[in-house]
Structures are given as structure tokens and as C-alpha cells.
Amino acid sequence: MAPSKRTRPLEDDGDSEIVSVESAQSSLRQDARKKARTSDPLSHSKSRTVRTDADSEDGSVEEGSGSYERRRDAGFKDLEDEDLDTQRATQIIQRRNQMSMDNLPAENGVIEAVTCINFMCHSKLHVSFGPLINFVIGHNGSGKSAVLTALTLCLGGKAVSTNRGQSLKSFIKEGQESASLIVKIKNTGSNGYQRETFGDSIIVERHFSKAGASGFKIKGSNGRVISTKKADLEEISDFFAFQIDNPMNILTQDMARQFLNNSTPADKYKFFVKGVQLEQLDQDYRLLEDFIDQSENKLAARSEDIDALKRIAREAREKLALSEKHSSLRDTIRSCRRQMAWAQVEEQERALNKVEEDIFEANLRIERAESDATSYERKFDDASLYATQMGETLQEVTEGLLPLQDNRKQIKEQFDKNKSDLIARHAEERTITNHLKEAQRKVSKTKVDIKAEHDRRAAVNGGIHATKLLEIENAKENSAEAKARLVSHTEAGSSLEEQAGAAERDSQRMSSPLENKRAEVKQCENQLQTLLRDRGQQQGAFHENMPSLLRAIRDHPGFRETPVGPVGNHVRLLKPVWSSVLERSFGATLNSFIVTSKQDQALLSNLMRKVSCNCPILIGNNQPINTSNNEPDSHFDTSLRVLEIDNDLVRRQLVINQGIEQTILIENREEANHVMFDGAKPRNVKQCFCLHDSKRGWGVRLAFTRGVEASTSPIMAMNGRPRMKTDVESQISFQRESLQQLKRELNELEQSKRDWESKIRTCQQAIVRHKRQRRDLHLEHQRAEDLVAKLQDELDQDTVEDGRLEALNAVLKEAEEESETYGGSYQDSITAKDKMNETAKRLKKELNDVDEQLAEYDAKVKKAESKRLKAANLRQAALQEKNAAFQVIDDAKLDKERVVRSREAAAQRVSDFIGKATQVCERVPIEHGESIQSLDKKYEKLSRDLDRYQRELGDSRESIARRAKDTHITYEKAKKQIKSLERLIYVDTQTCPERAHGPLAEVQKAHLRTCEIELHVSLK
């Protein structure tokens, strides 16, 4: 009964096909398990011996090299009976088929799957195989032949060998331009093919198109392409012994039909020879016979040369024996040569001693230069200190000069305006005076005329008129008194206006400090906001192009040593309370960069110009500096102790240029004064910084000028963001405290401003009251004037006049009104002029006072500028001397390094000469008076004598000995080559004849018969 089919559905729902693959087992097997390509346990030995039941009681087969040796020693008599040998082979095959053995799958070399795409009549055909024997069955056109053809083509076979087409183009499905074949090969086990590269499986792909293109892809189990070469595919096929072209492995339908129906015995034999690889074995033996012929020709040629080599070697030995007779002369030459070798060593040792003396002298020069540099450094420190003091003094004086200049400008503007008003007032006063005099003359003349008219009427009317006149006179006196009170009250108002003006000026003077304080508060708030926002991002404190400069430095390859900077990036402040003081003290040093050579300085300067970020450049060196012996007592805080510096170059420059190791820090000013100026001068202290008593952020510098005179100078607060790194939270806390202090000071100034404004309002209120009283007095004076006018009218009514008196009174009234008007204007003009004169005097005095102060400040500024320039020149000169001194040190150290290198070279030469001399002989003493020149002459003379003897021999002893040795080696080598070639020819000659006539030929024939029987049994 036929076994059941197992169908494997493919995932492709389109043109993919389902191929039935049946697994079965041979009818010759007794066990129920499948068996794929496995290794026959009986086939592992190189030779096999088959015995009958008579030879072995249990019918077993003896294997191994021992059985073969016994048969060989017996002359392979067991192979003489061909019929018996055939019977034994048949028995072996039958027993092998009946043996119960495990049928286990091979670990590698098994075809796991075949995939065809656009191949023959299939769009996509995928067949997966089991691990043992597989039967592929199906209807015509289902893909059975396609699988076998795909295996042949994908594993490197030719299209013609498939009998399905003449070229790859004919295998592409109709209507498609290309086709692909994929074969998956099992590659597990320890003996797999390059498992570290391919993994558990090897995937071979072959792609070809109608255009004629064709190529292979060999992939690992992970899908990665390992190779595209056909040679690598052939190597894999050879490794797994696929033998695609072997008809016993892959036999097409056409070849099988032709073989079974039409083949002759000769064709069957050729088929058999090719299938068992005997054809390849025959070709190998033919190559071996050709090699034997060539080797015998070479052996004949070499045998002729061996006698000549033997003769040459004998002659060389004889000549060497003759040259030994002159050994005493050679001994003398050898002794001379030894002395020459060690004489050169002594000469190099003397040169080395001279270099050691030079190093000692270089050390002395360095010590003297360092001593001078220390002196110049102290001088530079004093000059720097003095220059800093003068700079601070100049800055302080200059800052004090600016308010005076602004104040003088304001006073001058007021004075000029008041002067212009006063000139105008003088001109007005002269005009009023002229009109007033004219009005007064007119009044006097009219009064005389009226008096005359009254006298005339009094004579007519009696005493009534006189009484009326008396009343009028009294009323006029009252009017004059009221006017006098009005004038006095008006004059008193000027003092009130002066007080109000003074209060306004004082209030205005408060405006500038108040605005400055508000600006300080605003700046402090901005700094606090910046700290809160940036949280310690330090780069914003430097130049805006600093990041570009740092990138340019990092990317530039031309620096001998990468510049260090900016200095502030490498300094961390441990106590933020000293931030403003130290920032102001260090100044531009925190923005600077440090290099170690002039070349790097020039290169860095060019980079700064390119990125528009100019910073100071300092030149230093990497020599360590020890300040432990030069620092103050440990209970003092110093600038060095409150700083954490992460770069030795930065530390060295701050020590040299700023003296941070000898600058003590004391917060309380009284305590600082006591430490610095009361009692003995503190040890190793150049200067002291303390905090200002009232000004937040300011400091005070206490020092000794020229080492003996006490000096105190202010340190202004630092504006801008801090450049030194510090603890962010501490800095924020300190900034908040500063802001609170500034706000308190601002509140005090605003309170003072409000007090002055209150005083101004009080003065203005007094002026308002004064104006109200003046208006009342003016009304009183007006009422008095009205009374006088009323009495005059009554008098005029009682007078019987023809109109002359009325006319005179009208003229008088008009004249008096005119005189009064001009008098009032004159009085107002006098009052205003007096007020303006007082103002002019006051402004003139203030202007003179300011000019005197400006003159004093100008003198101070000039003096301070002169001192600053002088101090700067002294500092520059000291800096040049110090740099020159350090340059001398550097030059001396470079000289020392050069000498040290020369010492190393000299020591190396001594060592080399000693090594070379030691190769000649052990150290020998040089005879007194001998030198290299004398030994050389002696050696030349002895060598000429030896040459004369050697010319008699034809060559030097060394050459003769070397030639004797070389000829002996050549002769022995030639003998070994002849023996090796003879041995190789013997082995090959013994191997080839046995193939046709010897016992091996019989073994081969038996093997062939066994293979024929196996093939016959398998076919049945």
C-alpha cells in the first residue's frame, strides 16, 4: 500500500504552487525509521578486508590498518580468486542491509529548501525538504523537474547539463524579464562550513535575466551577503561533496532513459568510472608519472655538479690550512684592533665628561638667573602695586571731578541767565526812573498851581476850605503809611522765595544721588535675575564672541600647546563675599589667555582678530611654583586660599602678577587696620583687602608703599556679571543681601528727598500766605487812596470855581497816578534787581567755589595722571626686566636641555661604542702614549704586512675561511637535495607501477567489483 501524502501549503496566494513531498523508506531496510545521507560505519577506514564465515566464526568484518598489513604481507592472495571475492562483496552488502543501525540525519550538507521565482512555468515555487530521504511526486508540470533543474543551476551547474535548455534565458517564465533560484543548505554541527561566518544555514541565490546578466549571492543564516563569487560556491560544493555534474548524484529523466534503454557496455562503464571518480584518479596518476620523468632529468643534471662542488670544497680547505701559518701576525693585528676599539670608547668617555661639566655650568647659570628673576619679580610686584594704587587714585579723583563739572555747568547756566535778566532789568529801571522824575516834576508844579488857587479861594471862602484841605492831607498820610506797609511786606517776600529756591536746589542736588542709587538697585536686580536665570552659566560674563574664540582655539591644529583661558574659567571663588573686590582687583587678568611661546601668542592674536574678540595674552611656562614657604600664617584668609584654581599655568600667573598668595582678606576694616598698621608688620603679607564700612560691594586696600609707608585706597564695586566661578546658591544669596542693602540706602535717600520736598511745600505755603497778606495791604492802600479821592471830590463840590481848580486837580491826579504807577514799577524793579543781584552774588560765589574745587581737582588729576604714567612706565620697565630675566632662565634651561640631550646622545654613543667594542673583545687597557691615530698607523702597517702574505695566498684569511665554510655548506646542501630527490623519485616510482601490476592494483579491482555489485543491488 502506498504511503499517505503530506502536503505543505505555501504562503503565496498568487502564482505559488503546492508540491507534494513524500517521505518513505527503502524496502531493503528492516527498521521503521528514515535515513538521510549518513556516513557508513564500514566506509571510514582506508581499506577493507571481507572474510567468509569460514574465516570468522561470527561472520564479522575485520577492519583497520592491521588487517591490511597482514593481507599485504601475505601478498594479497585473498584477491586471486575473483569469484570468491565477488561472493564476499555480495555477502558484505547483504549483511550491511540487514544490520540494525540508527538512521540519523546528517548535521550539515543537507538541502533544506528550494525556491524558484519566475522559473520555467512557475511564478513562485517553494519546496521544503525533510532531514532524511525525500520523494517529490506530483502531476506533470507540478514542478518535480523544476526542483531538480533549480538545484543543478543554483549550485553552479551548466544549463546544457540539465537537458532542459541551451542557456539560462530559456528557463525564464514567459512574459517575465528575470528569474531567481534560492537553495538553503543545512550547516549545523561542529564540522560545518565556516559556521562563524555563515551560521546554521547557507543560502545560495542565483539571479539571471533575458538581457544575459547572471550572478550568484551567497548569504549567511542572518540574510547578510557573504560573497558573490562562483569560486566560493564551488568551494562550498567541494566541501559538502555535492558533485552536481556527477550522474550518480543528479540523473535527469532524459539521461536515465538513454542510459537504461540505449547504453552499451562501454557507455555503462564510462558512466560507472565517472560516477566513482576513477577517471579523476587516473588523471592524477598521469600527472605523477610526468613529475617522475622531470625529477629523473633534474637528478641527472645535479649528479654532474656534485663532483665539481666536492672538488671546490677540498681546495678551499687546503688553502685555509695554509693561511693558518701566519697566525702570530694576525694575533698582533687582533690585539691592535682591540686597542683601537677601546681607544674609541675612551675618547667618547672623555667627550661625555666634557658634557657633564657643561651641565654643571648650565645649572650654575640657571641658579644665578633664578636669583636675578626673584629680585626682578619683587621689583615688579612693588611697581605693580604702586601702579595699581596710582590707577585707583586717578580713577577716584576723576570720578570726583565729574559731579563738580556737572554742578559748575548748571551754576554757570543759572548765572548767565540771571546776568541777562539783570541787564534787561537795569535798562527797564532807567526808563522807569526817567518817567518817574518827569511825573514828579509835573506833580510838584501842579501842586504849586493848586496851592495858589486854594490860597486865592481861601481868601474868598474863609476857613471851610482849609479844614477840607487838612482832612485831605491826613487821608494822604494814611495812604502813604499803607503804601509803606505794602512795600515792606513785598520786600519780606523775597526772603521767602530765596528759602524756597534754596530748598528746591537742595532737592535737585538729591536727584542725582537718588537716580544713581536707583540705577544701582536696578543693576543689582538685573544681576540677581541673570543669576537666577542662568544658574551659573559663566560665559555671559565674558566677551560676546568668546564662544567663537574658544571653538577656533579648539579646532586650530597649529598650537604647540593649547592656550589656557579665559583665566576666569579656571578660577572658582569659595567665598562669594569677596567677589566684587577680587573681580575689581584682578581686572582684565580674568579675561586673559595664557600661552607658553611667542609663536602661540602670535597665532592666538590672529585668531582674536578674526573672531573680533580681543583679550590680553600672557606668556608663561609650565615650571611648577611652590608658595608654601611664602604664605602668611594659616589663620588668615588669602586670595589664594579662597580660590580653587584648576590649572597650574593660571595659578602661576596669578601668583606672579597679582601676588594672591600674599594678599590677606579681612572683612572688618578696624580689624584689618589693626593687623596691618598696629604693631609689627605681618609675615609674608604684601597687602590686605577689607570690605567698605557703608558702601556695598566696595572694598578698601591696605598696603605699604615702597615697603614702609602705610597706604589706604578704595576699591570700587565691580559692575557686570562675575567672571569667576562660584557656588550659585551662595552667590544668589549674597546678591540678594546686596539688593536689600541698596534698597535700604535708596529708602534713606528717598526719605531725605521727601523731607526737602516737604520743606519746599512749607516755603510755598508761606509764600501763598505772604501774597494773601500783600493783597490785603494792597486793598488797604487802595481804600486810603479812595478816601483821599473822595475828600478831594467833596472839596471840589464846595468850591465855586470857574473850572480852573478842577482842571488843576485833574492834572494833579493824573500826574500822581502816573507818578504812583512809575513809583510802583520802580520799586518792583529795585526789588527784582536787588533780588537778582543777590542771586548773582550767590551764583558767582558758588561758581567761584566750584572753580576753586575744579582747579584743585584738575591739579589732583594732573598729578595723579603724572604719577600713574610714571608708575606705569616703572611697571613696564620692571615687567620687561622680569620677562627678560625669565627669558634668560628659559634660555638657560633650553641650553641645559640641549646639553642634557647631547649628554644622552653622548652616553648612548659611549654605550654603542662599548657594545661594539665588547663584540670585538672584553675591555683591554690602552698602552701609555697610544692614541687612535698611532694605533691606526700601527694597524695599517701590520695590515700591509698581512696583505703581502695574503697576496701570496691570493686572498685574506677571513675570506679563505668564509669561502671554505660556504663551499662545504653548499656541497652538503647539494648532497641533501640529491638524496631528497632520489627518495622522492623512489617513492613515486614504487607507487605508479603498483597501479597496473602490484597488489594495489588488485585492491583497486576488488573495490571496483564491490562498487558494481552495490550499484546492481541498489538498482534491483
Side-chain angles (χ1 to χ4, degrees):
M1 183 176 179
S4 61
K5 294 184 179 179
R6 292 180 298 168
T7 60
R8 297 186 181 182
L10 299 178
E11 296 179 357
D12 192 351
D13 296 332
D15 295 332
S16 300
E17 302 178 15
I18 298 176
V19 179
S20 296
V21 180
E22 294 206 10
S23 299
Q25 75 180 51
S26 172
S27 60
L28 299 177
R29 293 292 181 192
Q30 300 301 322
D31 57 336
R33 287 174 291 182
K34 296 191 300 179
K35 179 178 175 71
R37 184 177 70 85
T38 57
S39 299
D40 191 347
L42 299 177
S43 64
H44 286 181
S45 61
K46 295 184 179 179
S47 60
R48 296 175 299 182
T49 301
V50 182
R51 293 188 179 183
T52 62
D53 295 339
D55 297 329
S56 178
E57 294 180 358
D58 57 356
S60 62
V61 179
E62 294 184 4
E63 302 179 12
S65 59
S67 175
Y68 172 76
E69 295 294 337
R70 288 193 298 272
R71 292 168 59 230
R72 183 194 62 188
D73 295 340
F76 295 99
K77 292 182 179 180
D78 57 329
L79 300 178
E80 293 177 355
D81 190 346
E82 184 174 347
D83 294 335
L84 180 60
D85 185 57
T86 302
Q87 181 183 359
R88 290 174 178 172
T90 303
Q91 293 173 355
I92 290 173
I93 294 172
Q94 290 176 349
R95 281 198 300 271
R96 186 196 304 166
N97 292 335
Q98 294 172 0
M99 288 175 65
S100 177
M101 296 184 299
D102 292 336
N103 194 11
L104 300 177
E107 292 181 335
N108 49 65
V110 178
I111 304 299
E112 293 184 322
V114 176
T115 303
C116 306
I117 300 173
N118 296 331
F119 184 70
M120 298 176 69
C121 61
H122 306 280
S123 296
K124 183 174 182 181
L125 175 64
H126 179 80
V127 180
S128 298
F129 297 108
L132 298 173
I133 296 176
N134 293 269
F135 292 87
V136 181
I137 63 175
H139 299 288
N140 291 336
S142 61
K144 303 185 298 299
S145 299
V147 172
L148 187 62
T149 304
L151 277 172
T152 303
L153 296 179
C154 192
L155 295 179
K158 297 180 181 180
V160 179
S161 64
T162 63
N163 292 326
R164 290 283 179 170
Q166 296 300 318
S167 65
L168 293 175
K169 299 178 184 178
S170 59
F171 293 100
I172 300 176
K173 184 180 179 182
E174 190 68 29
Q176 302 296 327
E177 294 296 326
S178 62
S180 300
L181 301 175
I182 304 173
V183 173
K184 185 177 181 182
I185 305 171
K186 187 176 181 181
N187 191 42
T188 60
S190 59
N191 59 345
Y193 179 77
Q194 298 184 9
R195 293 201 67 254
E196 66 280 359
T197 302
F198 290 93
D200 292 339
S201 60
I202 299 174
I203 301 173
V204 180
E205 297 181 4
R206 187 171 189 178
H207 305 273
F208 48 91
S209 64
K210 287 187 176 180
S214 174
F216 292 92
K217 287 185 180 179
I218 305 174
K219 299 181 179 179
S221 57
N222 56 2
R224 184 172 64 90
V225 177
I226 307 299
S227 176
T228 59
K229 298 179 181 180
K230 187 176 180 182
D232 293 333
L233 176 60
E234 292 175 351
E235 184 177 348
I236 294 173
S237 298
D238 292 341
F239 181 83
F240 291 125
F242 283 156
Q243 299 180 13
I244 301 301
D245 295 332
N246 192 336
M248 294 186 70
N249 287 346
I250 297 180
L251 186 63
T252 63
Q253 293 179 7
D254 295 336
M255 290 181 64
R257 188 183 305 111
Q258 181 181 1
F259 175 75
L260 294 174
N261 297 330
N262 302 325
S263 60
T264 64
D267 293 335
K268 293 178 181 179
Y269 181 75
K270 289 180 180 180
F271 180 86
F272 171 73
V273 169
K274 185 175 182 180
V276 298
Q277 297 289 303
L278 291 178
E279 183 179 3
Q280 181 65 35
L281 185 62
D282 183 69
Q283 293 177 1
D284 293 341
Y285 275 116
R286 292 183 185 277
L287 291 175
L288 185 59
E289 290 174 355
D290 293 339
F291 175 75
I292 292 172
D293 295 337
Q294 294 175 6
S295 299
E296 289 176 346
N297 294 333
K298 289 183 180 179
L299 180 60
R302 292 288 182 91
S303 298
E304 296 176 359
D305 297 335
I306 195 69
D307 295 335
L309 293 175
K310 183 176 181 181
R311 177 179 52 79
I312 293 172
R314 185 180 65 254
E315 292 175 354
R317 286 196 304 272
E318 293 174 353
K319 200 171 186 178
L320 177 61
L322 182 61
S323 66
E324 293 294 337
K325 297 180 179 179
H326 307 295
S327 59
S328 61
L329 182 58
R330 292 191 181 91
D331 292 341
T332 304
I333 292 176
R334 281 194 293 270
S335 176
C336 184
R337 188 185 299 117
R338 295 190 189 102
Q339 293 188 41
M340 287 179 64
W342 289 102
Q344 294 177 9
V345 171
E346 290 187 356
E347 183 179 13
Q348 295 300 323
E349 288 175 344
R350 287 192 295 271
L352 179 60
N353 293 333
K354 178 63 171 61
V355 173
E356 294 288 350
E357 294 176 359
D358 293 341
I359 292 176
F360 180 75
E361 292 294 331
N363 287 329
L364 290 180
R365 286 196 299 272
I366 291 174
E367 290 178 0
R368 288 194 295 269
E370 288 178 345
S371 176
D372 295 340
T374 303
S375 175
Y376 286 124
E377 188 174 4
R378 287 196 298 268
K379 184 177 178 182
F380 171 73
D381 292 340
D382 294 339
S384 297
L385 181 61
Y386 182 64
T388 303
Q389 292 175 349
M390 293 302 100
E392 293 173 352
T393 301
L394 175 61
Q395 186 174 6
E396 182 180 359
V397 173
T398 303
E399 290 177 353
L401 182 63
L402 294 176
L404 289 177
Q405 291 176 342
D406 294 339
N407 189 24
R408 186 187 186 285
K409 183 178 179 181
Q410 295 177 0
I411 295 174
K412 186 67 169 61
E413 290 175 353
Q414 296 176 7
F415 179 79
D416 292 340
K417 184 177 182 303
N418 184 77
K419 183 177 180 181
S420 300
D421 294 342
L422 187 60
I423 292 172
R425 182 63 66 184
H426 274 297
E428 182 182 359
E429 183 182 351
R430 285 194 296 272
T431 302
I432 293 173
T433 300
N434 293 332
H435 288 295
L436 180 60
K437 288 181 179 180
E438 182 65 28
Q440 288 176 349
R441 283 195 302 271
K442 186 176 180 181
V443 168
S444 299
K445 181 176 179 303
T446 304
K447 284 182 178 182
V448 172
D449 293 340
I450 291 174
K451 186 176 182 304
E453 183 65 24
H454 279 298
D455 290 341
R456 185 182 65 78
R457 289 190 178 191
V460 176
N461 296 326
I464 297 175
H465 186 72
T467 302
K468 187 65 70 177
L469 291 175
L470 181 60
E471 290 179 356
I472 291 173
E473 290 296 332
N474 291 333
K476 287 183 177 179
E477 289 179 359
N478 292 333
S479 176
E481 290 177 358
K483 183 177 181 180
R485 286 194 299 274
L486 177 61
V487 172
S488 175
H489 186 75
T490 302
E491 292 177 352
S494 61
S495 63
L496 292 176
E497 291 180 355
E498 289 180 359
Q499 293 177 5
E504 287 182 359
R505 287 191 296 274
D506 291 337
S507 177
Q508 290 176 356
R509 292 193 188 98
M510 292 292 298
S511 299
S512 179
L514 185 60
E515 292 300 324
N516 293 336
K517 188 60 67 177
R518 286 173 179 167
E520 291 180 11
V521 172
K522 184 65 175 176
Q523 182 180 8
C524 188
E525 289 176 345
N526 292 337
Q527 291 178 356
L528 179 58
Q529 292 299 324
T530 301
L531 289 174
L532 292 173
R533 182 179 65 254
D534 297 343
R535 286 289 178 180
Q537 294 182 4
Q538 189 187 7
Q539 292 299 331
F542 298 101
H543 196 281
E544 58 183 1
N545 294 332
M546 183 63 71
S548 300
L549 177 59
L550 293 176
R551 284 194 300 271
I553 293 173
R554 183 180 64 248
D555 297 338
H556 201 287
F559 289 104
R560 293 173 58 186
E561 292 188 23
T562 303
V564 176
V567 169
N569 265 353
H570 300 276
V571 179
R572 175 177 293 277
L573 181 61
L574 303 180
K575 293 187 177 182
V577 69
W578 295 105
S579 176
S580 178
V581 173
L582 293 182
E583 289 271 353
R584 174 67 73 175
S585 174
F586 292 158
T589 302
L590 295 178
N591 299 329
S592 62
F593 283 77
I594 305 174
V595 297
T596 57
S597 65
K598 291 285 186 181
Q599 177 184 352
D600 289 350
Q601 181 190 25
L603 187 57
L604 179 58
S605 179
N606 291 333
L607 287 181
M608 288 181 177
R609 284 195 295 271
K610 288 181 181 179
V611 301
S612 300
C613 180
N614 293 321
C615 300
I617 301 176
L618 307 176
I619 299 179
N621 57 59
N622 293 317
Q623 296 293 330
I625 183 170
N626 185 6
T627 61
S628 58
N629 295 328
N630 299 321
E631 295 186 21
D633 295 339
S634 59
H635 66 275
F636 287 117
D637 276 343
T638 65
S639 298
L640 178 61
R641 291 169 184 168
V642 300
L643 298 178
E644 183 180 292
I645 304 172
D646 62 7
N647 187 280
D648 291 338
L649 271 176
V650 173
R651 181 178 182 274
R652 179 181 178 85
Q653 289 301 318
L654 291 178
V655 168
I656 293 175
N657 295 328
Q658 300 293 332
I660 58 174
E661 84 285 8
Q662 295 184 346
T663 300
I664 61 174
L665 306 175
I666 301 175
E667 295 187 18
N668 185 270
R669 184 170 181 176
E670 292 183 1
E671 182 181 354
N673 282 322
H674 175 70
V675 171
M676 291 295 292
F677 302 140
D678 294 346
K681 179 181 177 181
R683 184 178 64 90
N684 292 333
V685 175
K686 288 185 178 179
Q687 58 185 353
C688 174
F689 291 157
C690 64
L691 302 181
H692 199 279
D693 297 332
S694 58
K695 295 183 179 180
R696 189 73 174 182
W698 285 55
V700 179
R701 179 178 175 276
L702 310 177
F704 292 93
T705 58
R706 304 191 182 280
V708 292
E709 298 178 2
S711 171
T712 302
S713 57
I715 301 175
M716 293 183 297
M718 180 66 186
N719 296 325
R721 295 171 59 181
R723 295 163 293 176
M724 293 185 292
K725 296 185 289 188
T726 184
D727 180 66
V728 178
E729 299 303 328
S730 300
Q731 192 171 3
I732 291 175
S733 176
F734 177 75
Q735 197 68 23
R736 283 175 174 164
E737 293 177 1
S738 300
L739 179 60
Q740 293 175 0
Q741 177 65 26
L742 289 174
K743 286 184 176 179
R744 286 194 294 270
E745 295 175 357
L746 177 61
N747 291 334
E748 294 176 359
L749 290 175
E750 288 178 343
Q751 182 61 43
S752 178
K753 176 74 172 179
R754 287 193 293 269
D755 293 342
W756 283 111
E757 289 177 349
S758 176
K759 185 175 181 180
I760 291 172
R761 287 193 297 271
T762 302
C763 292
Q764 288 176 348
Q765 292 171 0
I767 290 172
V768 171
R769 289 195 299 271
H770 178 271
K771 288 182 178 180
R772 189 181 301 115
Q773 292 174 1
R774 184 176 181 276
R775 186 172 60 252
D776 293 342
L777 291 175
H778 182 71
L779 291 174
E780 183 182 355
H781 174 256
Q782 188 65 40
R783 283 194 295 269
E785 290 289 333
D786 292 342
L787 180 59
V788 172
K790 179 181 178 183
L791 292 174
Q792 187 67 42
D793 290 340
E794 291 176 355
L795 179 62
D796 293 340
Q797 291 176 2
D798 294 338
T799 301
V800 181
E801 176 60 39
D802 55 1
R804 175 177 171 76
L805 183 60
E806 289 79 2
L808 290 174
N809 285 329
V811 173
L812 178 61
K813 182 178 180 180
E814 181 181 355
E816 286 179 346
E817 289 178 353
E818 197 174 309
S819 175
E820 183 179 357
T821 300
Y822 287 122
S825 299
Y826 179 77
Q827 187 63 39
D828 291 341
S829 178
I830 291 297
T831 301
K833 186 181 71 172
D834 292 342
K835 183 178 179 180
M836 294 171 76
N837 285 331
E838 291 296 329
T839 302
K841 290 179 181 179
R842 178 180 56 78
L843 292 175
K844 182 65 175 176
K845 184 177 183 303
E846 291 179 1
L847 192 61
N848 292 334
D849 292 341
V850 171
D851 287 339
E852 290 178 0
Q853 293 178 5
L854 284 174
E856 292 177 359
Y857 268 95
D858 285 337
K860 289 181 180 179
V861 169
K862 291 179 181 179
K863 184 177 180 181
E865 179 65 21
S866 175
K867 289 183 178 180
R868 187 192 68 80
L869 291 175
K870 181 180 179 181
N873 293 333
L874 290 174
R875 183 184 182 279
Q876 184 64 28
L879 179 61
Q880 292 176 354
E881 291 176 347
K882 186 186 79 169
N883 290 339
F886 279 101
Q887 187 63 42
V888 170
I889 294 175
D890 293 339
D891 293 342
K893 289 182 178 179
L894 289 176
D895 292 340
K896 179 183 175 182
E897 291 176 0
R898 178 179 54 78
V899 176
V900 169
R901 287 195 298 270
S902 64
R903 179 184 64 179
E904 294 174 355
Q908 184 62 39
R909 284 196 301 272
V910 170
S911 177
D912 293 342
F913 273 77
I914 291 176
K916 293 177 181 179
T918 305
Q919 293 177 1
V920 177
C921 66
E922 294 297 328
R923 185 152 191 161
V924 296
I926 309 302
E927 297 179 1
H928 181 69
E930 292 289 353
S931 63
I932 295 178
Q933 292 77 12
S934 63
L935 290 172
D936 187 50
K937 292 179 180 180
K938 184 177 180 180
Y939 180 77
E940 289 179 356
K941 181 180 182 302
L942 294 173
S943 297
R944 285 195 298 270
D945 294 340
L946 183 60
D947 289 340
R948 187 173 66 254
Y949 296 128
Q950 287 177 346
R951 282 194 297 273
E952 296 175 358
L953 295 174
D955 206 345
S956 64
R957 183 196 177 278
E958 289 79 3
S959 299
I960 294 172
R962 186 168 54 253
R963 181 173 178 80
K965 181 179 179 182
D966 293 342
T967 55
H968 178 71
I969 293 174
T970 303
Y971 172 67
E972 292 296 330
K973 185 177 180 181
K975 286 198 325 182
K976 290 180 180 179
Q977 291 176 349
I978 292 294
K979 290 180 180 180
S980 177
L981 188 57
E982 288 176 346
R983 205 162 39 246
L984 181 60
I985 292 173
Y986 173 77
V987 172
D988 293 341
T989 303
Q990 293 298 318
T991 301
C992 288
E994 289 179 355
R995 183 171 71 92
H997 308 290
L1000 286 178
E1002 298 299 330
V1003 175
Q1004 294 166 3
K1005 291 178 181 179
H1007 175 64
L1008 291 178
R1009 284 194 297 274
T1010 303
C1011 291
E1012 290 174 353
I1013 294 170
E1014 288 180 352
L1015 179 60
H1016 179 67
V1017 173
S1018 298
L1019 289 176
K1020 289 196 300 182

